[in-house]
Amino acid sequence: MQAAGELTAEQITAAAVASIRASEPDVNAFTHVAEESAMATAREIDRRRSLGQPVGELAGIPVAVKDVLCTRDMPTTCSSNMLRGYRPPYDATVVKRLREADAVLIGKTNMDEFAMGASTETSAFGVTRNPWNRERTPGGSSGGAAATVAAGNLPLSLGTDTGGSIRQPAAFCGITGLKPTYGRCSRYGLIAFASSLDQVGPMAWSVEDAALLMRIIGGFDPQDSTSLDTPASDYVNATAAPDVRGLRIGVIRDAIDHDLLSPAIRHAVELAIDVYRDAGAEIRDIRLPHSRFGVPTYYVVAPCEASSNLSRYDGAHYGFRGAPGDQEMADSGPLAATYCRTRAEGFGTEVKRRIMLGTYALSTGYFDAYYLKALKARRLIRSDYDAAFEQVDMLLGPVTPSPAFRLGEKLADPIQMYLCDQFTVGANLAGIPAISLPGGFTNDSLPVAIQLQGPPLGEVPILRAAAAFQKATDYHTRRPGR
Ligand code: GLN
């Protein structure tokens, strides 16, 4: 549309800003909207184009960025009081690549504090609401990134996925979300939650758009020591003429037969099986016997890594510093008292819970029983996937046990919140790529989703199969209120 010159970058950006203004009072998807710099970027792109100068692949396209990614010209808060107002001196590599592609960065999206959560309710900037139903959560932790795309404000956003935070909000909001293979997208400038699990990825209106964004943000980065130095795959081409004939798709039996799986989601997966079978894929049943240990394993590994990563927020290095009272100073000395006050006031309840869990599990005497045990379980979970991918090309299953739940419904019960992640954490623990696709609607018009998971570096076959699904269905084209 833009390349054809029908609309200027300025017009597109102005429309996105107006749309955000209209939905923000209800949805609250953003922690920061960078209207002025977005408009300036757009005008500059129009100027360059009018001079016949080359412009990037995303020229004039508004993109929103989860507030866990460093941006040098916007605050980067992780939706935490600990980093309120913090302005990083540099861009995350993925953000830098967006700018190089001439994307228009519209702002930073709301999230669960430090990406810990599944509902965007733990944000210090207020909850984000699901555009499909304002009484429901958009999912989390990339809830803002999903909600702004679902609300139709803009076509693309960047999320991050440590245990499901791209796929679960994509599922709740009826959009497409890809968690790439661990190491495909640079983590440089991604504020760390659990470093061995964190991955950046695209959230979009369609598989094609997600593939395009993946092409821009993916690829080796020498500034991230875990970045994979593999040739870039042709993600976009994979979606061009999707064909699944002969593709071996494994249906994850353990997930389909799971007690907690809601009938609407089981139905969506069953319909997807039909779509693929009709398109010529070969469907098999697969078991992942250790998948039932996914949630307990993840909720040891992730808090352990978080407790280490978040130790840097001490009131000295970054952001907020708490002021201890005289008595606290006298009791513990000024340094310890400052650490304690800073963390007591700067972090919310869920972040504190994770730090305590992780510190406990890593402490002498408990390390073997918890952390080491979790690493062994992680290995078994990965082995299940390895065995599965000997038999099939990819796996099909649900993303979430239920459609978007009500705001407040699980806030008082962390275990219930953690159980939302049971079909997503496996891909993070194993480091494999996985995509969430709109797969239908409940009777009360809430989106439901299906998930495809593939072997390491299997983005291309996944995107191809995902594009085939979107060719055969129209769920991804629907927007709230339409
Ligand atoms: N819901 C999971 C958690 O709370 C996943 C979070 C994420 O992927 N960032 O840890």
Side-chain angles (χ1 to χ4, degrees), residues 115-118 141 161-165 193 298-299 354 421:
M116 298 172 189
S141 63
D161 194 311
T162 303
S165 282
F193 161 15
Y298 172 85
Y299 279 96
R354 306 275 179 119
D421 304 335

Side-chain angles (χ1 to χ4, degrees), residues 66 111-112 114-119 140-142 160-169 193-194 197-199 298-299 302-303 350 354 417-418 420-421 424-425 428:
K66 185 178 180 180
M111 53 185 278
D112 282 295
F114 282 100
M116 298 172 189
S119 64
S141 63
S142 313
T160 61
D161 194 311
T162 303
S165 282
I166 289 177
R167 291 162 286 156
Q168 187 254 21
F193 161 15
L197 302 160
D198 298 341
Q199 217 7 235
Y298 172 85
Y299 279 96
E350 183 59 27
R354 306 275 179 119
M417 193 71 93
Y418 299 170
C420 298
D421 304 335
T424 49
V425 291
N428 303 78

